[in-house]
Amino acid sequence: MILPEHSSIKKEEKAMKWTSLKAGILFTFICILIILKITVNPSTKRVSITKDLIVSDFQGFGSEFNPFIYAPSNKEFTKVAGTQVLEDLVEKLRPQIVRLFIYLDWWRNHDTEHLNSLERTLELTKRVGADVHLTVAGGWNSPLYEEAAWQITAIETAVALESLIVQKEFTNIKYINIGNEPNRTQQRPETHVSLHLALDKALRDFGLREKVNIMAGDITAEGRETWLPYITEKFGHVLDSYSIHLYWQYTDKQDYIKKLSGLRNILAKAPASAQKPMLIMEYGNRGRMEPGMSAGPETGFDLEGVHITESPIAALDLAGFMIRALKHGIAGMSKWEMWDGHYTSTDPNGLIHYGLIGIIDGQWQPKPAYYIYSLFTRTTRKGWEVRDVTTSRNSDLIAVAMHGDDEWTVFILNEGSKREKVTVQGLPKTLDMREYSFSLISPNRAGEQSTWRWGEDSPFTYEIPPRTLTVLTSLEIENF
């Protein structure tokens, strides 16, 4: 028999235990909600467009065009696929600048096959609205570098330009330089400057100097410390722009960041008369090399065993480079290169397969980097300004903005492994903005995700998936 007071005590103990249990369950539930909020709804990161002007007149995003694509060296390569689909893909991409090699032997020897191929390639540049940068190539041991040949080389270059610009009316040819990567030849900086001074005189004698600009350098990044200071001092007041080539291991972004910072520091020390635009006229990333593989501009494989030119991972790495290049003041950049193909050799082992477009299963098809590149070429315009963008500390975001004629585009790359909630500040009000993206966690094609109007009351907030490039633009892109 249980006494009444003992029964009351037992009931109170049970009630206290149940209350404690409920409190414990509630505490655990709250903890779970907090954890979920941290992982699923991350804290908002701020992306702020500043008033800091980095580049006042951006010259464009583009690529190298192989001038031999219509020549006999590529007849067998393009026999099945032809060139029409290739041209359609190039026109859709709409590169803004194009770099092309020319060879003075074509004019010396009246080489109609190669001149015809060059002219067809230049016709394609006109259709896409690109400005052309020509590089006179001649081999690593060419006599065009020798002092005795400077004058004749300069005059022959002027003759070639007169035939292309005046006679053939390729008025979109805007820049010329002599020699590819001269710091890797027997040239010295003094030779390079003297050769281009002779070119400046020849262009003036032919009445072409007002029609075409001179670009000097075209050196690899390894030569920047010795070549660029000399060029800026001795020739910077004459030339119109500098150019450099830059390659890196796709797993080592600090390598290209160091090289970009070095370029900016060198130009900052140049005389005021030598403060000219810096362009990157060749760039690309490299992968893991296998035994017996010869090093090239873009060779090797990613960590998943995919060739670097077909790797979505490497493609996203290119986006990181392009954004950082803009933030370091680069005024234009040309990717090596637009399409696969042969240059002078028909040897199958001599195929240049570093293109944004290649022949796959007998047909021209875009590679992953093509879609990355379309997000830059289709959402910007030549002549736009580049504005710096700051991001919240301790985030994996990098960003930059471009604008002109009341149009805006913002590039935001999430390089991290977590979803980021982002608020964009600094855009003009009442803009209709469209969002496009390329992500490693979804189909690797650029596409429109949404359209929204910039609000009057507060900045727009949205989430960027991990390892994703997001582009916000006020431009209306047709057939993206």
Side-chain angles (χ1 to χ4, degrees):
M1 182 176 177
I2 300 176
L3 298 174
E5 57 267 31
H6 289 171
S7 176
S8 176
I9 292 172
K10 291 291 185 179
K11 289 180 179 179
E12 289 178 3
E13 288 177 349
K14 287 182 179 180
M16 291 177 63
K17 288 181 180 180
W18 176 239
T19 301
S20 298
L21 180 61
K22 288 194 294 183
I25 293 172
L26 179 61
F27 176 76
T28 303
F29 182 68
I30 292 173
C31 289
I32 292 173
L33 286 178
I34 293 173
I35 293 172
L36 286 174
K37 184 175 182 180
I38 292 174
T39 57
V40 178
N41 297 308
S43 59
T44 302
K45 302 295 174 60
R46 182 176 299 174
V47 173
S48 302
I49 301 170
T50 73
K51 295 183 179 180
D52 296 335
L53 182 63
I54 303 175
V55 177
S56 60
D57 184 12
F58 186 68
Q59 297 187 24
F61 301 102
S63 184
E64 184 93 15
F65 279 22
N66 179 348
F68 294 89
I69 190 63
Y70 304 104
S73 57
N74 279 294
K75 184 176 181 180
E76 187 67 26
F77 176 66
T78 60
K79 182 171 63 176
V80 176
T83 58
Q84 185 58 56
V85 173
L86 169 64
E87 293 174 6
D88 292 344
L89 287 169
V90 172
E91 290 189 48
K92 185 176 181 180
L93 187 62
R94 304 197 70 80
Q96 298 155 346
I97 59 175
V98 167
R99 181 177 180 244
L100 272 167
F101 284 135
I102 61 172
Y103 296 76
L104 297 180
D105 282 345
W106 294 345
W107 285 270
R108 292 172 187 152
N109 302 329
H110 304 285
D111 187 344
T112 55
E113 286 184 329
H114 286 114
L115 286 173
N116 288 339
S117 181
L118 171 65
E119 290 172 18
R120 288 185 65 182
T121 308
L122 285 169
E123 287 288 353
L124 180 58
T125 69
K126 288 182 71 174
R127 292 205 300 273
V128 301
D131 290 339
V132 175
H133 297 232
L134 295 180
T135 294
V136 177
W140 286 32
N141 298 301
S142 171
L144 64 83
Y145 299 138
E146 298 176 3
E147 183 174 358
W150 290 346
Q151 299 299 328
I152 189 64
T153 297
I155 292 172
E156 287 183 330
T157 300
V159 169
L161 287 173
E162 184 179 48
S163 72
L164 294 173
I165 297 174
V166 179
Q167 298 174 21
K168 302 293 184 179
E169 298 185 343
F170 291 114
T171 54
N172 61 325
I173 295 174
K174 301 298 184 183
Y175 276 92
I176 182 69
N177 72 284
I178 299 177
N180 176 55
E181 299 182 349
N183 61 307
R184 300 179 67 191
T185 72
Q186 75 271 29
Q187 269 201 72
R188 303 182 309 278
E190 299 86 350
T191 309
H192 185 75
V193 168
S194 297
L195 179 58
H196 283 79
L197 283 171
L199 174 63
D200 177 68
K201 182 179 184 303
L203 293 177
R204 294 182 188 280
D205 291 343
F206 277 72
L208 294 171
R209 191 62 177 92
E210 299 301 318
K211 294 182 173 65
V212 65
N213 299 308
I214 293 178
M215 180 172 61
D218 221 37
I219 58 176
T220 64
E222 290 72 21
R224 65 188 184 277
E225 298 292 343
T226 54
W227 280 68
L228 284 181
Y230 185 87
I231 294 173
T232 59
E233 179 184 357
K234 302 297 184 180
F235 191 52
H237 63 292
V238 177
L239 58 76
D240 301 288
S241 72
Y242 307 93
S243 68
I244 196 167
H245 301 176
L246 205 159
Y247 294 91
W248 68 94
Q249 291 291 326
Y250 87 98
T251 55
D252 185 13
K253 64 185 177 185
Q254 293 303 320
D255 179 35
Y256 72 68
I257 291 175
K258 179 180 178 181
K259 292 172 180 175
L260 289 171
S261 299
L263 292 175
R264 184 171 58 182
N265 294 338
I266 292 170
L267 287 184
K269 298 175 183 177
S273 61
Q275 296 286 336
K276 307 292 175 62
M278 171 65 74
L279 287 82
I280 298 178
M281 297 310 293
E282 278 190 29
Y283 71 92
N285 45 20
R286 298 183 173 116
R288 173 179 52 82
M289 303 293 289
E290 292 188 347
M293 180 180 290
S294 58
E298 294 175 279
T299 51
F301 301 86
D302 67 16
L303 297 179
E304 296 182 358
V306 180
H307 192 273
I308 202 72
T309 62
E310 299 173 3
S311 165
I313 299 172
L316 197 66
D317 176 60
L318 290 173
F321 169 80
M322 295 167 75
I323 291 174
R324 289 186 172 93
L326 291 174
K327 293 173 76 70
H328 280 79
I330 298 302
M333 55 193 86
S334 173
K335 170 82 170 58
W336 179 273
E337 68 184 77
M338 180 60 73
W339 53 69
D340 292 354
H342 293 275
Y343 270 65
T344 56
S345 172
T346 57
D347 183 350
N349 294 324
L351 176 68
I352 304 296
H353 58 282
Y354 313 131
L356 298 173
I357 307 167
I359 295 180
I360 303 171
D361 297 329
Q363 185 59 273
W364 290 103
Q365 295 185 29
K367 300 179 187 179
Y370 175 94
Y371 298 107
I372 282 286
Y373 227 74
S374 67
L375 287 173
F376 288 85
T377 57
R378 299 291 302 280
T379 64
T380 60
R381 299 287 184 264
K382 291 179 292 186
W384 276 18
E385 294 180 346
V386 179
R387 298 273 287 276
D388 199 11
V389 173
T390 61
T391 56
S392 299
R393 298 178 63 181
N394 302 319
S395 79
D396 292 308
L397 300 172
I398 58 171
V400 73
M402 299 180 66
H403 81 100
D405 297 327
D406 299 323
E407 298 287 358
W408 282 84
T409 293
V410 183
F411 300 97
I412 308 173
L413 175 62
N414 181 3
E415 296 182 306
S417 58
K418 296 180 180 179
R419 183 178 295 271
E420 293 280 14
K421 194 173 183 180
V422 175
T423 294
V424 181
Q425 297 181 325
L427 284 171
K429 303 298 183 182
T430 66
L431 278 178
D432 284 331
M433 301 295 288
R434 295 162 184 82
E435 176 192 354
Y436 302 87
S437 66
F438 178 100
S439 180
L440 295 186
I441 64 171
S442 63
N444 306 121
R445 294 191 175 190
E448 184 175 354
Q449 303 299 311
S450 61
T451 302
W452 46 273
R453 178 173 285 275
W454 186 254
E456 291 284 356
D457 300 325
S458 63
F460 183 76
T461 300
Y462 63 101
E463 290 189 354
I464 302 180
R467 299 185 177 90
T468 296
L469 170 66
T470 292
V471 182
L472 308 176
T473 182
S474 60
L475 294 179
E476 187 172 357
I477 311 300
E478 295 182 359
N479 302 319
F480 198 81

